[in-house]
Amino acid sequence: MGFTTEHVRTLAVAGHGQTGKTTLIEQLLLAAGMIQKAESVESGKTVSDYTPEEIERKISIYSSLVHLNWGDTLINLWDTPGSADFIGEVICAFRASEVALMMLDAKAGVQIETIKLWRMLDRRNKPRLLFINHLDDDRAKFDDSVQDVHGQFECEVCPVTIPMGTGASFKGVIDVLHGKAYETAGGVTKEVAVPEAFKGEYDRAREILAGAAAEGDDELLVKFIDEAGLSDEDIVKGLKLAIADNRVVPAFAGCAATGAGIVPLLNFIADIVPSPLGAIEVATSPEGSDISVKVDPKAPLSALVIKTANDQFSGKLTFLKVVTGSLAPDSEIYNVTEDKKEKVGKLFRAVGKKLVETRELVAGDVGIAAKLPYAKTNDTFGASADIPPFVKLRSPNPVYSMAVAAKDKKDDDKLGDLLIRSCEEDKTLTFAFNGETKQNVLSGMGDLHINIVLGRIATQTKIEIVTSIPRIAYRETIQRKAQSEYTHKKQSGGHGQYARVVLSINALERGENYSFTNAVFGGAISKGYIPGIEKGVKEAMENGVLAGYPVVDVGVTVLDGKEHPVDSSEMAFKIAARNAFRESMRNAGPILLEPIMALTVFVDNAYLGDIMSDLSGRRGHILGQETLGGGIEEIRAQVPHHELLKYAIDLRAMTSGTGSFEMAFDHYSPISGKIADEVIQAAKEFIKQQSEDE
Ligand SMILES: Nc1nc2c(ncn2[C@@H]2O[C@H](COP(=O)(O)OP(=O)(O)O)[C@@H](O)[C@H]2O)c(=O)[nH]1
Ligand SMILES: [Mg+2]
């Protein structure tokens, strides 16, 4: 069945882990008749947690796509993981969706990942709905949860549905917009009149909703004030504008375990949530500037690869969003990013792992193409090669790394290929050979993330993988000025070699890296040999004199020298310069520099003291601390990278799994004494080991 763009809705269901996202999706599918029975996450049989990794761990790891029909509306939903380890999957789902449906646990209110995800949505200015779940729990607090979100994010939150009781007395929800109540018992929901006992609450909620709807529209505002209220139609009209402009966050009450609150949510999505029509994707013009591309079914085809995945049964799956035009099965399209033609075979919609063939994906819709050979996450497809490519998503900085190798050396290449393929699917994963430390390093969003990637490869291929904590990329620099000279001379028999270089080195500001000045006076060295000298200096700077780490923040000035009319060469000057540099460095107070990371930690207030003292034990420098809503603390600090290699694991242990952090390289800072001695000793052993291996 074909859908027009106006009839499509795409939402990403997101929120802190355990808030009930996967369970909610079961109920939404059940209500729409897509499945016959809602399964629990514990049973391992839910539609959206279907991979072996998810079933084993009972959490969502990948963003899975489902769709359902509600009246004549097609609703696409992404079930996203709540753990920060899998944020890459959430980012993909956000990109594919016009709106996010944020899940909140009514007994916990705003939680750490709620804050991080909300900030991400703010940066994208993405409208969102709020589903306040777990209202059957005795500790559930609906109004407090609304206030929590309002206070934390300084946004207008207006309930569209409100609960009838909470905990054991929770009966269902009242649809404030249509003045109806929905009672849920024994898995069955029936529509009833608003009970007398809730009339007062209903009236108050209706007033708030009407006020929110009136706000952005002068005509509605006049009506609201003059007529002391708005009609259902006027509220719908006002809310549509308010949501599209991201001015209001409509909130819903419910219980995903029983399906309470589902029907009014689906009605709202179909009637009021904006369709993709006119939504904007940013692309890059041939001149390199940003251009806005509006979702438009009438323009020629363009589409965006949201992500790719490898399915056990169907092979490679490409999840894509059509931005303009429409995509038909058995067509030929152009992969603009890879500069290749792609043959599209069948097209599908998904219900988790189940794929349903579709005849068309219209602008704004999301779906799946199977077995496209070239497609990679972030690629752009077009009707022709001249379609401007969409901008690539930026991925967050990795927070956890592992050095990896195959136990059996002959598997190393295969392991490398598989990891490179994983990085193409998952943009928060990087795999690279670090020439400095001579290690293959896999980096990602946490130890769980890395272990799942490696675990999947190990089970699928039987390659035994050895992991270790990666070596740190230290640097070396100098503390003072020094000068030295070196004469390279080999003049016994045949064509000789001769070069003499006098140079001085001085310390530069941190981060300035390198400068090279030729101050040779009166032609003591011909101009033609200067590049050879610079090459020699640069070579010497690749391995410092302390522990063989790259040398940074040094200014080099060539002062004088001498050449021989026959025996001098670029090579001879390079060798002389290299030695002169090393000699100077030894005399210039060489020191080690270690990388310092900018760290942001989010923890519940109860752990603040522990985290602070732990950070000082890690030689951390606290920059600031802020109390956020919901009893959450945000701590910003600078901490040596060396002290953070296992922070993902340690923070989890210290906070019973609730803490979360982000980090990025900040600067290099000197180390001395025992800490430096250990680094130097370890580097010497490593270099010795390397030469023995060769
Ligand atoms: N009592 C109750 N349990 C719920 C509710 N929603 C989800 N759960 C349970 O909470 C746990 C986490 O749910 P899940 O859907 O996996 O959360 P997700 O991590 O957000 O996807 C599971 O044990 C669910 O059965 C609810 O509204 N009430
Ligand atoms: Mg889940």
Side-chain angles (χ1 to χ4, degrees):
M1 185 166 67
F3 289 88
T4 64
T5 300
E6 287 91 332
H7 289 99
V8 176
R9 307 284 181 274
T10 305
L11 293 92
V13 182
H16 199 88
Q18 304 293 308
T19 46
K21 300 177 287 297
T22 302
T23 311
L24 179 81
I25 298 234
E26 286 294 299
Q27 290 290 347
L28 293 168
L29 291 170
L30 178 69
M34 298 297 287
I35 54 175
Q36 301 313 312
K37 180 170 181 269
E39 301 285 357
S40 73
V41 174
E42 285 70 24
S43 72
K45 290 195 271 189
T46 61
V47 169
S48 47
D49 286 356
Y50 58 81
T51 63
E53 299 95 285
E54 293 173 307
I55 293 168
E56 187 197 322
R57 291 178 172 79
K58 312 252 185 285
I59 55 162
S60 307
I61 292 172
Y62 307 102
S63 277
S64 53
L65 181 62
V66 306
H67 76 283
L68 57 88
N69 302 321
W70 193 250
D72 54 6
T73 304
L74 167 72
I75 303 177
N76 296 308
L77 297 162
W78 294 91
D79 181 21
T80 70
S83 159
D85 278 66
F86 313 115
I87 191 71
E89 291 285 319
V90 189
I91 291 172
C92 291
F94 280 169
R95 181 162 217 193
S97 308
E98 280 71 51
V99 174
L101 175 57
M102 289 295 290
M103 290 291 282
L104 213 64
D105 180 341
K107 62 180 183 291
V110 169
Q111 292 174 281
I112 289 169
E113 296 310 319
T114 324
I115 295 178
K116 291 168 70 187
L117 293 166
W118 203 280
R119 287 181 181 177
M120 275 175 58
L121 290 165
D122 280 345
R123 283 199 288 277
R124 294 166 168 74
N125 194 25
K126 206 157 279 256
R128 62 216 81 163
L129 316 181
L130 186 66
F131 192 89
I132 300 177
N133 192 30
H134 283 273
L135 285 168
D136 58 327
D137 193 291
D138 284 331
R139 294 158 292 173
K141 293 197 177 74
F142 182 77
D143 291 340
D144 288 5
S145 296
V146 169
Q147 281 313 313
D148 209 7
V149 172
H150 168 71
Q152 176 63 52
F153 305 117
E154 291 166 5
C155 59
E156 187 163 357
V157 186
C158 61
V160 174
T161 65
I162 55 171
M164 295 187 282
T166 50
S169 63
F170 175 68
K171 289 209 169 45
V173 304
I174 296 169
D175 180 343
V176 177
L177 180 51
H178 299 105
K180 291 174 184 167
Y182 294 89
E183 271 183 12
T184 303
V188 181
T189 295
K190 61 176 198 281
E191 195 185 310
V192 295
V194 175
E196 207 49 48
F198 292 101
K199 275 267 159 55
E201 274 178 58
Y202 164 68
D203 287 343
R204 263 195 308 279
R206 172 84 185 188
E207 173 99 14
I208 293 169
L209 190 64
E215 216 157 90
D217 187 295
D218 287 345
E219 197 190 323
L220 289 178
L221 201 57
V222 170
K223 263 197 196 173
F224 177 66
I225 294 165
D226 288 356
E227 297 166 25
L230 289 182
S231 67
D232 290 6
E233 294 75 55
D234 283 340
I235 295 182
V236 168
K237 187 177 154 204
L239 281 181
K240 272 188 177 170
L241 291 171
I243 296 168
D245 290 352
N246 196 12
R247 278 185 282 115
V248 166
V249 178
F252 297 82
C255 168
T258 61
I262 296 295
V263 172
L265 174 65
L266 283 168
N267 286 338
F268 190 91
I269 292 172
D271 297 343
I272 299 182
V273 162
S275 86
L277 191 67
I280 284 170
E281 274 297 335
V282 182
T284 309
S285 74
E287 295 76 37
S289 56
D290 281 357
I291 44 174
S292 298
V293 180
K294 275 195 179 150
V295 172
D296 174 6
K298 295 194 195 77
L301 170 77
S302 70
L304 182 60
V305 176
I306 297 300
K307 66 169 192 166
T308 59
N310 256 299
D311 184 81
Q312 227 174 318
F313 305 106
S314 322
K316 181 176 171 188
L317 301 179
T318 301
F319 292 74
L320 46 89
K321 175 175 187 120
V322 180
V323 180
T324 56
S326 75
L327 182 60
D330 305 316
S331 55
E332 195 174 79
I333 55 173
Y334 209 80
N335 184 332
V336 178
T337 318
E338 310 294 332
D339 201 13
K340 290 273 196 318
K341 279 184 183 147
E342 304 250 25
K343 270 205 162 49
V344 178
K346 290 177 177 170
L347 290 176
F348 302 95
R349 301 187 183 290
V351 189
K353 71 179 164 195
K354 193 172 117 198
L355 301 180
V356 184
E357 232 183 296
T358 180
R359 297 296 307 154
E360 187 189 31
L361 291 175
V362 74
D365 204 352
V366 292
I368 296 171
K371 302 196 174 74
L372 298 183
Y374 307 109
K376 293 191 179 71
T377 303
N378 272 337
D379 280 359
T380 297
F381 292 160
S384 53
D386 57 0
I387 292 283
F390 295 110
V391 296
K392 300 200 168 190
L393 284 186
R394 261 194 31 218
S395 289
N397 294 310
V399 301
Y400 188 79
S401 297
M402 268 288 162
V404 296
K407 189 165 184 199
D408 189 341
K409 266 228 167 333
K410 73 178 193 321
D411 288 333
D412 247 348
D413 285 348
K414 189 172 172 204
L415 176 62
D417 287 347
L418 289 166
L419 285 171
I420 288 166
R421 196 129 53 86
S422 299
C423 296
E424 285 167 359
E425 284 178 10
D426 177 351
K427 293 294 171 194
T428 56
L429 200 63
T430 54
F431 177 65
F433 179 70
N434 186 329
E436 259 175 57
T437 62
K438 307 278 188 288
Q439 288 179 318
N440 281 309
V441 179
L442 183 65
S443 303
M445 302 314 297
D447 57 315
L448 197 56
H449 185 207
I450 296 295
N451 289 340
I452 280 169
V453 172
L454 293 178
R456 194 176 45 198
I457 289 176
T459 21
Q460 282 171 6
T461 61
K462 307 276 179 274
I463 295 178
E464 253 190 275
I465 304 171
V466 207
T467 60
S468 57
I469 292 176
R471 304 182 71 229
I472 294 275
Y474 291 98
R475 295 284 179 272
E476 299 182 20
T477 192
I478 54 167
Q479 300 179 88
R480 50 182 181 268
K481 216 174 151 118
Q483 179 176 332
S484 68
E485 48 187 79
Y486 190 90
T487 307
H488 175 65
K489 194 164 143 186
K490 267 196 184 148
Q491 287 175 308
S492 52
H495 192 55
Q497 296 176 34
Y498 182 87
R500 175 178 161 75
V501 171
V502 183
L503 54 76
S504 77
I505 60 176
N506 59 290
L508 299 179
E509 291 286 313
R510 195 69 60 240
E512 270 188 54
N513 200 18
Y514 166 72
S515 72
F516 182 84
T517 314
N518 173 20
V520 176
F521 196 69
I525 305 172
S526 314
K527 274 225 155 47
Y529 291 133
I530 300 297
I533 295 178
E534 182 161 16
K535 273 187 206 156
V537 165
K538 282 193 165 158
E539 268 184 29
M541 286 180 71
E542 283 170 18
N543 302 103
V545 297
L546 286 177
Y549 288 107
V551 181
V552 295
D553 304 339
V554 174
V556 179
T557 309
V558 190
L559 299 169
D560 198 3
K562 199 171 164 196
E563 64 187 59
H564 184 275
V566 184
D567 292 345
S568 281
S569 63
E570 181 175 300
M571 175 60 86
F573 273 100
K574 195 171 90 172
I575 295 168
R578 193 163 66 203
N579 286 297
F581 182 92
R582 290 180 68 82
E583 181 72 27
S584 313
M585 188 173 171
R586 277 187 206 100
N587 298 326
I591 44 163
L592 278 175
L593 296 174
E594 69 172 344
I596 306 291
M597 308 302 275
L599 175 75
T600 308
V601 189
F602 299 87
V603 288
D604 285 333
N605 182 273
Y607 301 110
L608 182 62
D610 291 352
I611 296 304
M612 290 293 216
S613 63
D614 174 74
L615 285 177
S616 76
R618 291 174 196 267
R619 297 187 283 132
H621 172 57
I622 308 283
L623 297 177
Q625 173 220 334
E626 194 187 339
T627 306
L628 310 175
I632 295 162
E633 305 286 340
E634 176 176 354
I635 304 148
R636 286 178 304 106
Q638 289 180 343
V639 187
H641 192 193
H642 177 72
E643 306 289 338
L644 294 176
L645 290 172
K646 283 168 55 212
Y647 199 61
I649 297 168
D650 298 343
L651 182 68
R652 191 168 50 238
M654 283 186 286
T655 61
S656 312
T658 58
S660 186
F661 73 105
E662 296 164 351
M663 70 180 195
F665 170 77
D666 197 84
H667 65 278
Y668 276 98
S669 175
I671 45 173
S672 56
K674 189 163 162 277
I675 295 168
D677 291 345
E678 278 172 17
V679 172
I680 292 169
Q681 192 53 40
K684 282 187 177 149
E685 273 161 30
F686 175 75
I687 291 165
K688 194 167 143 237
Q689 187 67 43
Q690 288 283 308
S691 55
E692 279 168 12
D693 286 354
E694 271 155 22

